[in-house]
Amino acid sequence: MPVDPMDDIELRSVQLQFPNARGSILEACEQRRVPTDKGDVHVAIQGDTAKPAIVTYHDLGLNYATSFAGFFNFPVMRGLLENFCVYHVTAPGQEEGAPTLPEDYVYPTMDDLAAQLLFVLSHFGLKSVIGFGVGAGANILARFAHAHPDKVGALCLINCVSTQSGWIEWGYQSFNARFLRTKGMTQGVIDYLMWHHFGRNPEERNHDLVQMYKQHFERGVNPTNLAMLINAYIHRNDLHLARTPPGTPGTETAATTLKMPVINITGSLSPHVEDTVTFNGRLDPTNSSWMKISDCALVLEEQPAKLAEAFRLFLQGEGYATPLSTPASSPCGTKYHTYSSIFFANFREQQQQAMEERERERERDRQRQLSLRVGNRLRETAINCTNTGGHQQGDNNNADEHSGDEEEDMDLENGNGNGHAAGSGNGNRAYVTTDTSGTLYYGAQSNKIRITENPLPEPVSS
C-alpha cells in the first residue's frame, strides 16, 4: 500500500495570534459629555491630557469604540499613545446605548458638526490638534480644518469625500434613512452599510470581521439616530477646496485648499477610491500625500499594521516624537523608544566622527608642512653655462662631476635639467639655492631672483 506523502508533513513554525481586546479601549477611556449649541457631544479621552492631542471622528453606522477600538489597541498604536492623548468624538446619538433623539430635535448639519469641535477644543483647553477621521468623520474634520486652519496641525483622512452627494448615493441613502425610521435596521440597510465600509465581497477576505460588523449594525445601532446622521451626510455641500491659489482669475474667493499637512488614505478595494483621488487633486501637493493600501477596503480593520506605520511616519515627519518598537518583555509584548532620542544619539555620534576626521586631517597637514620646512636642508647647485654651439660630450662630463657633489645641472634657457649647455655662452656660474622654507633662488651670489609660483613680486634680501 503506497504511503501518502502528506503523512510526513510536520508543522514547525506555528504562532498563535490572539485578537485585539476591543473592549479594553472602553475601560481605558474617560467618558465626558461636552455641551455645545446643538446639544451634548460624547467625548472619550484616552491617554495623558498633558500631551499633544489627536481628535478622531467615526464613519456612518459606527462610533468611537467600534471604529477605533481595534486600531488603537494595535501594539504599535499602544506605544503611540505614550506620546499623545486621543480625544474620540462621537456624533450626537451615535454612542453605545444612546437613547432615541426627540422628534423635534433638529440634527446638526455637516457644518454644524464641524463647528461643534470648537466647543470640544475649548472645553479641554486645546489650542491645536491632529485630526484623524474616517469617511463621514473625515469630511467633518476637513470642514473644521478649512474653517479653522490655526486649530489643526495635521490631518490623517481615510476615505474622505470632498464633493456633494451624487444622485445614486442620494437615492440609496434616502431609502435607507426612510427604512431606518419606519422599519428599523433592515437587511437592505445592512447590505448598503457593509458595502460602504468593506466594498464588494468582504466575506472572501475576512468572514469573522464581516459577521462582527453585521451583528453591530443589527444590535448596537439606534436606527432613528443613524437615519438623522445619514440625512445630514447626504445633504452635505461641497468643501470648496481648490489647488489654485486665491486671487486666480476665474476662481471663487473662498476656494482655497487646506494649509496644514494632509495624508489622504484609502484601500484598493474601497468604493471611495475615486473620491479620494478627487480630494487629492484639490490639495496642495507640497504638503499632502495620497496613499492607497492594497488588499483592503476598511483599512483600520483589515490592514492596521500598514496604517499604523504610515501614521507614525507621518507624525514623525511633522516633528512629533513617535515610538520605535523592538521585541522585549512588556505588557503589550513590545518595548518602545522615541525616535527623537535615537536621532540625537546618531547625530552626536556622526558629529564626533566628523570632528575626529577633521583633527586627523589637520595633523596630516602639519606633518606635511613640517617635512617641507625642517626636512629640507640647504642645497647649493652650481650651473656651468658654456657656449658650445651644440650638445658636447664634455658638458656631460662636467655635469657628471657636479652631480657627484649633489648638484644639478640645468639648462638656463630651456630649464630641462638634462646637463646640456645651450645659451649665450657667457661662461658665468649660476647658483640655485634653497632656504629652510623650501623657496628656490636662481642667479649669481650677488643677485638672487626668487623662483616661486606666486606672481606677486616679493623683495628678497641678498
Side-chain angles (χ1 to χ4, degrees), residues 20 67-74 77 132 300-301 304 307-308 311:
N20 295 330
S67 184
F68 301 107
F71 178 68
F72 280 93
N73 201 50
F74 197 70
M77 295 305 298
F132 190 97
L300 286 166
E301 295 288 353
L307 178 59
F311 186 53

Side-chain angles (χ1 to χ4, degrees), residues 11-74:
L11 299 178
R12 297 181 179 180
S13 59
V14 178
Q15 298 179 356
L16 296 178
Q17 295 183 355
F18 297 96
N20 295 330
R22 305 177 64 89
S24 62
I25 191 175
L26 301 177
E27 302 174 358
C29 292
E30 179 185 357
Q31 313 294 328
R32 295 280 190 90
R33 297 198 68 87
V34 178
T36 68
D37 58 344
K38 300 293 182 179
D40 294 346
V41 175
H42 182 272
V43 180
I45 308 170
Q46 184 179 6
D48 187 2
T49 56
K51 295 181 179 180
I54 298 177
V55 173
T56 68
Y57 218 111
H58 58 87
D59 200 357
L60 298 177
L62 304 177
N63 51 54
Y64 84 95
T66 55
S67 184
F68 301 107
F71 178 68
F72 280 93
N73 201 50
F74 197 70

Side-chain angles (χ1 to χ4, degrees), residues 82-377:
E82 296 180 1
N83 296 330
F84 294 91
C85 181
V86 184
Y87 297 83
H88 301 283
V89 181
T90 304
Q94 308 303 315
E95 61 271 12
E96 291 285 345
T100 303
L101 296 174
E103 295 182 359
D104 57 347
Y105 178 76
V106 179
Y107 203 86
T109 63
M110 297 296 288
D111 291 329
D112 294 336
L113 293 174
Q116 285 181 334
L117 295 177
L118 273 179
F119 294 89
V120 176
L121 269 63
S122 176
H123 180 83
F124 295 103
L126 304 177
K127 296 182 179 179
S128 179
V129 298
I130 301 169
F132 190 97
V134 184
N139 185 280
I140 294 172
L141 287 175
R143 291 176 184 274
F144 177 74
H146 188 209
H148 307 280
D150 57 326
K151 300 291 185 181
V152 181
L155 281 176
C156 179
L157 305 179
I158 304 174
N159 295 335
C160 182
V161 181
S162 61
T163 59
Q164 61 184 4
S165 60
W167 286 107
I168 297 178
E169 179 188 4
W170 184 86
Y172 271 103
Q173 292 285 34
S174 297
F175 279 111
N176 292 336
R178 181 182 303 175
F179 290 147
L180 287 171
R181 290 191 183 95
T182 58
K183 300 180 180 180
M185 186 65 65
T186 62
Q187 186 62 40
V189 176
I190 295 177
D191 292 340
Y192 185 87
L193 291 175
M194 293 301 298
W195 173 84
H196 177 82
H197 295 292
F198 290 95
R200 299 185 182 278
N201 304 321
E203 293 85 357
E204 299 178 359
R205 301 192 303 270
N206 196 326
H207 183 269
D208 295 338
L209 183 64
V210 169
Q211 295 302 318
M212 183 186 67
Y213 269 78
K214 286 184 177 180
Q215 292 178 4
H216 166 71
F217 293 144
E218 292 175 355
R219 305 173 184 175
V221 176
N222 189 307
T224 303
N225 297 349
L226 178 58
M228 295 183 180
L229 178 60
I230 291 177
N231 186 68
Y233 183 66
I234 61 176
H235 287 86
R236 66 183 183 273
N237 58 348
D238 195 279
L239 290 181
H240 299 294
L241 299 178
R243 179 174 292 185
T244 55
T248 304
T251 60
E252 300 180 11
T253 304
T256 57
T257 188
L258 299 178
K259 298 179 176 59
M260 67 288 304
V262 181
I263 179 172
N264 182 20
I265 302 177
T266 186
S268 61
L269 304 178
S270 173
H272 311 290
V273 175
E274 295 298 329
D275 295 321
T276 60
V277 173
T278 303
F279 179 55
N280 181 69
R282 297 179 165 193
L283 298 177
D284 186 358
T286 61
N287 62 359
S288 63
S289 58
W290 179 73
M291 181 179 181
K292 182 170 69 172
I293 301 178
S294 61
D295 301 329
C296 67
L298 186 60
V299 185
L300 286 166
E301 295 288 353
E302 297 183 81
Q303 294 290 352
K306 294 181 180 179
L307 178 59
E309 185 70 10
F311 186 53
R312 181 179 61 81
L313 294 176
F314 174 67
L315 294 179
Q316 179 189 351
E318 298 307 316
Y320 295 95
T322 56
L324 173 66
S325 59
T326 56
S329 58
S330 65
C332 58
T334 53
K335 183 179 179 181
Y336 298 93
H337 303 280
T338 60
Y339 263 106
S340 58
S341 61
I342 296 175
F343 169 77
F344 286 113
N346 295 336
F347 178 76
R348 287 192 296 269
E349 182 179 358
Q350 294 175 0
Q351 289 293 98
Q352 185 67 22
Q353 293 177 356
M355 292 177 60
E356 294 176 357
E357 182 63 27
R358 287 194 297 269
E359 186 64 28
R360 287 193 293 267
E361 185 64 27
R362 285 195 294 266
E363 183 64 25
R364 286 194 292 267
D365 291 340
R366 287 194 293 266
Q367 292 294 337
R368 284 194 294 267
Q369 294 176 3
L370 186 61
S371 63
L372 288 175
R373 294 181 180 180
V374 181
N376 295 337
R377 66 178 182 271

